[in-house]
Amino acid sequence: GNQLADKQVHSVCPYCGVGCQLTYHVKDNSILFVEGRNGPANHNRLCVKGRYGFDYVTHRQRLTKPLIRRSDAPKHIEMDMDYNNPLRDFREASWEEALEFATKGLKKIHKKQGPNGLAGFGSAKGSNEEAYLFQKLIRTAFNTNNVDHCTRLCHASSVAALLQMIGSGAVSNPVADVADAEVIVLIGSNPTSNHPVAATFFKNAARDGKTLIVMDPRKTDIARYADHVLQFNPDTDVAMLNAIMHAIIQLDLVDHNFIEQRTEGYTTLKKHLQDYTPERMAPICGIPAETLYEVARIYASAKGSMIFWGMGVSQHIHGTDNARCLINLALITGQIGRPGCGLHPLRGQNNVQGASDVGLIPMVYPDYQRVDNAEIRKKFEALWQTTLDPNPGLTVVEIMHAIHDGNIQGMYIMGENPAMSDPNLNHARTALASLKHLVVQDIFMTETAHYADVILPASAFPEKTGTFTNTDRRVQMGRQAIDSPGEARQDLDILLAMAKGLGLQWNYTGPRDVFNEMRQVMPSIAGITWERLEAESAVTYPCSHEGDSGESVIFQEQFPRAGGKAALIPAAFSHADELPDDDYPYILITGRQLEHWHTGAMTRRASVLNSLEPEAVAMVHPDLLEQIGLHAGESIRIRSRRGEVVTGTRSDRGLNPGQIFLPFCYYEAAANMLTNDALDPDGKIPEFKFCAIKIEQA
Ligand code: SF4
């Protein structure tokens, strides 16, 4: 209980984008337990990850000393069970030696290959200040824009569509606005597992009589609370959503005033939608025409309808088109620009919104200011006192290709785990292994660190202070509760030491200095002071001046595009890159599960979470299990054209018999061995949610 702890530290949860506030109860530099705090996103609630997933910080595999690869240790592509023992391939080194080794190797490649021989991945697990400094380091010390992070694998397509059509990539309304909505549409999202506390808001809203419409190829727990469940065929979002818009136009339920005053491109969109009749689209998407008409009527005629979406929408080669349809839908019905309506792409990682906002993206500086705009570039050159590369850099998967092509030979990876999170892992891992110089900064011997030349032991979430921006655009303060083990150092300190070794003259004394610089270059947070965050713990942006309360609902007057109007952009139905055929007859859908987080680096080392879900398991429809002569629990081998895994099974009637769902957190059955690295042309996001597979008894 409380009386045992000698201090309480208020912070935020390190896992998902909901951004629950919590309190660490600490005694003698160790966390005794975690409690929910009354933050605006969680109202004291926490899910199992936030409440019990904290003891990874003291796991025996924490890296506590810098490591340098032994000269006699080759980089094995194959991952073996011994990879958690770093001393097999690495030797311990002093910080001085490791930093010198790390920066020397990068400088050598810079000299030989030029700036574009290098690249960096930052992380959405880190703070805004860490992400800001990381992108600044890559752009000013490497002189390249080859800097990206897991937003590329998450909502890059949603953001591409939002920026293009309404001029801003963030959500229009916060989750808690469901209290003011009449209708809530959830599409391609499994919030009970992936945004569990946000799911409680949806469930409560449904209980209070709001209409909940769930659209997803996989029927998950949230469907039990829904008034309408549209279990559409995977990959047919555009067909279904265009049909719903066709019905809205046919029933004359569009908002003519809103279209007239606040949008452009309606005539073209209307013409485009003529062919997408519900009757014609019904057999494609698998939803009866009358259901499409009914959902159209409910969504369009409600006083306020909100749309929430997840990776089911974004992780396709037509993810940007999927998102365009959702945006069109909200715009033609005027369901945006007031409380209780709007568009909300549910952000995955706890700081994926913030890391993107501060410029951890190859084509934009902080606040989405384009690197290829000369005026903007000049502004950053003056501020950072350097010359900057005018060309947008490469994205995550493009960087892997560039390594294979021999163009990129050195990388600095901070907190990211592409050897698990990238699609087509054989390809990604061969790339990582073939780098001439790889610097990895992390808290564990991750699958990616396995390919490093030097590993810098970093700090876990509760070991440092910084700001984090949740899915609602709320900047929140994460506070240090405990010290790091051994010689592990705070990430910001490591970044400063790396910058020094690479010849940069930086003199930040801590996260507060970095935050103050961010405020200068980011109009969206100009009004947020460090002191205010310390006092209030959370402030929503846009916040233009001190004293501004922050806008939780945006686009009330106009859209941040030239002319102030939103653009309606038609999207045509197209198929996935790799459709099932006789050789690979089933569809693989990848994703997450409640107890584990992304690549599992933290949650699989959190004792409670790992005891709840200790083993890789694929979800399979019982009919399909029977067809291949298996009982649930027995093992299957899943093969795609790119790789294979062996995993346990669990029966899941929420899937159609032709589909299998596999979480991507298990290194021993890494789902991304199977996935397809084909990219969406606009968002450059890979098609994690659809590839062709075959299965057999293992
Ligand atoms: Fe953490 Fe998300 Fe769970 Fe909240 S809902 S406790 S932020 S994982």
Side-chain angles (χ1 to χ4, degrees), residues 12-22 41-42 45-51 191 193-199 348 350 594 597:
V12 289
C13 172
Y15 294 110
C16 91
V18 173
C20 296
Q21 289 189 10
L22 50 73
N42 65 315
R45 298 164 213 164
L46 291 178
C47 78
V48 67
K49 289 189 286 280
R51 188 173 297 279
S193 291
N194 303 328
H195 301 88
V197 169
N350 96 325
L594 171 65
W597 186 245

Side-chain angles (χ1 to χ4, degrees), residues 166-180:
I166 60 180
S168 160
V171 302
S172 67
N173 297 56
V175 172
D177 247 29
V178 292
D180 294 321

